[in-house]
Amino acid sequence: MTKLSSINGNFKNQHILSLDQFTTQDIETILKTTKKMKDIAAKAIPTKLLEGNTVALIFYEPSSRTFASFSAAIKKLGGETLEILDPTHFSSAAKGETLEDTIRVFEAYSDAIILRHPQKGKAQSAAEASRNTPIINAGDGIGEHPTQALLDLATIYEKHGKLDNLTGVITGDLLNGRTVHSLIKALSLYKNNTLYLLSPTELNLQREDYNTYQQKGIKLIEIQYEKQIPQNAHFWYWTRVQKERFTDTTQYEKLKTKFTLTKDLLKKTAAPYTILMHPLPRVGEIEPAVDEDPRAVYLKNQIKNGLYVRMALLALVLGKKM
Ligand code: NCD
C-alpha cells in the first residue's frame, strides 16, 4: 500500500492522514457522500453497508466526540468495533509494545484502524507499519486532525453553500491546535479564501507552517486584538488553548482565556451570517450565553456533521458502493 499518497478519487484502502492528500474533488466526494449519510441517519433507513466489517479504534489520548462519532458511524452502518481506549494502560503497550507492533496485531482483527496519538507523525508511522489495513488519523499530537477538518468544511458548506471566497476568523491556540492545521490546509485548496488569525503571540502558527500555507494561495492575516476582527466574516472558528501541550502551567493559565467569545463581542463584530464554530471541548473561551445565538453551530450542526462525515469516509475507505 502506498503511504502518504494523494487520494485522487480513489478512497478505497487509503490511509487518511493529512489534508495534504486531498483535492477539491475528493472533498466534493466526501460532501456528496455525507449528504447521503445524513439522509440515511435521519430517515433511519436500515443499511448494512459495513456488515461483516470490523473497525478498530485505538485512542492513546482522551476523546469524546471523535471516538463516539466514529463508533456510532460504524454501528449505524452495520459494522462492528474493537475499541481500545487508553492503550497505554489497557493494551500490551503497558508492557512496552511499540505502536508499530500494536498496529500489526490489530490489523489481523480489523478492516480499518482509527488512531489517535499524542505525538505528531505517529499516524504516518502506523501507516508505514500497516501491511494492508487503512489507518485513519483521528489526531496526531499537534499535527493534524483531518476528519475534524472535513466535518468543519461540511458545516461551512451547509451554511454558506461554498468553500471559496470566504473570510474566516480562527482564534486560540494556532501553534498546538491540530484541528486548525488541517482546516487551514483544507481552505487553502480553494480560491480567494482569507483567514484572520487571532492568537496570543506565543501561540501563533509556526513560521514554517505560516509560509507553507500562504504559498498554497490562502491569505493569512495575523491579528492581535479582538477589535481587528473583520465585520464580514463567514465564520469564526474558536479553539481552546491546548493545556496538555504546555510544560509550564503558569504560562497556560496566563494564556488560556486571553480571547473569549462573548455576547458583547458578537454584537459588536459579527455579521448576521457569521457562523460560530468550535471543535470542542471548550474550557471557558466561549461564554455559555452565546450558545443560544442562532449563529452558534458548535453544539449543533458541527457535532452532527461529525457523525455523517465519518460515516461517509468509512464507507469510501472500505470501498462500499452507494
Ligand atoms: C479536538 C482535538 O482533539 O484536537 N477535539 C476534537 O476532536 N473535536 C480539539 C481539542 O481537543 O481542542
Side-chain angles (χ1 to χ4, degrees):
M1 195 189 301
T2 44
K3 303 308 171 196
L4 187 60
S5 53
S6 309
I7 295 164
N8 270 331
N10 184 18
F11 281 90
K12 189 174 173 185
N13 248 4
Q14 267 287 358
H15 301 301
I16 305 294
L17 308 177
S18 161
L19 251 296
D20 287 333
Q21 296 172 271
F22 285 79
T23 60
T24 53
Q25 281 90 342
D26 295 328
I27 291 172
E28 203 174 304
T29 304
I30 293 279
L31 295 181
K32 273 195 190 141
T33 316
T34 297
K35 201 168 170 297
K36 282 188 201 160
M37 293 301 172
K38 193 173 174 178
D39 292 342
I40 287 176
K43 290 188 206 132
I45 302 167
T47 165
K48 292 282 174 223
L49 217 49
L50 295 194
E51 189 168 32
N53 288 122
T54 303
V55 180
L57 289 98
I58 309 180
F59 277 55
Y60 289 83
E61 270 193 341
S63 171
S64 300
R65 278 151 296 275
T66 308
F67 185 84
S69 61
F70 262 120
S71 176
I74 295 155
K75 288 166 186 155
K76 276 199 186 291
L77 293 175
E80 305 208 29
T81 56
L82 258 179
E83 305 188 351
I84 316 291
L85 272 170
D86 196 5
T88 320
H89 292 106
F90 295 109
S91 82
S92 283
K95 303 177 191 169
E97 186 171 73
T98 62
L99 171 68
E100 286 77 5
D101 279 359
T102 302
I103 293 297
R104 291 182 192 116
V105 170
F106 279 91
E107 258 200 282
Y109 314 135
S110 54
D111 303 302
I113 297 175
I114 297 158
L115 177 75
R116 171 168 286 192
H117 199 282
Q119 272 170 272
K120 181 177 176 178
K122 285 293 183 183
Q124 172 81 37
S125 313
E128 280 161 21
S130 161
R131 293 184 193 90
N132 49 28
T133 306
I135 306 291
I136 299 179
N137 180 6
D140 64 322
I142 66 166
E144 283 209 46
H145 194 346
T147 60
Q148 176 72 42
L150 295 173
L151 80 88
D152 294 336
L153 293 181
T155 307
I156 296 171
Y157 189 78
E158 186 178 44
K159 293 287 177 186
H160 292 297
K162 60 179 185 179
L163 292 171
D164 54 9
N165 293 294
L166 293 167
T167 298
V169 177
I170 303 188
T171 302
D173 192 345
L174 310 184
L175 178 66
N176 301 306
R178 55 194 174 202
T179 69
V180 167
H181 301 155
S182 292
L183 182 59
I184 299 176
K185 281 188 183 182
L187 288 169
S188 54
L189 294 170
Y190 295 86
K191 290 205 171 59
N192 289 328
N193 286 332
T194 303
L195 296 177
Y196 288 77
L197 307 176
L198 174 64
S199 59
T201 37
E202 294 88 336
L203 301 178
N204 279 353
L205 278 181
Q206 275 184 16
R207 287 310 82 187
E208 202 189 325
D209 289 344
Y210 178 87
N211 293 332
T212 315
Y213 302 147
Q214 290 261 42
Q215 276 157 21
K216 287 175 194 267
I218 192 158
K219 192 165 172 201
L220 300 177
I221 302 171
E222 290 184 316
I223 55 175
Q224 282 176 312
Y225 306 104
E226 285 159 351
K227 62 174 191 281
Q228 294 170 289
I229 293 178
Q231 307 257 344
N232 63 343
H234 293 91
F235 65 89
W236 289 3
Y237 191 93
W238 231 260
T239 67
R240 82 181 160 98
V241 174
Q242 307 275 302
K243 185 180 183 185
E244 64 276 38
R245 313 293 176 213
F246 281 73
T247 41
D248 178 354
T249 44
T250 347
Q251 174 80 339
Y252 166 72
E253 290 300 327
K254 192 181 112 197
L255 301 177
K256 68 177 184 190
T257 40
K258 180 137 191 226
F259 300 111
T260 308
L261 175 41
T262 60
K263 269 184 110 162
D264 187 48
L265 183 66
L266 261 185
K267 204 165 150 213
K268 283 197 201 122
T269 324
Y273 52 82
T274 308
I275 58 168
L276 309 175
M277 305 174 71
H278 192 302
L280 303 177
R282 61 166 158 176
V283 287
E285 66 281 1
I286 301 184
E287 193 180 70
V290 173
D291 301 357
E292 304 144 23
D293 193 290
R295 293 166 290 184
V297 296
Y298 45 84
L299 289 169
K300 300 173 206 139
N301 310 53
Q302 239 180 316
I303 298 195
K304 282 279 191 191
N305 286 334
L307 173 67
Y308 310 141
V309 161
R310 289 176 175 123
M311 287 166 78
L313 185 70
L314 283 161
L316 290 163
V317 168
L318 290 169
K320 305 300 172 186
K321 295 266 172 292
M322 281 161 284

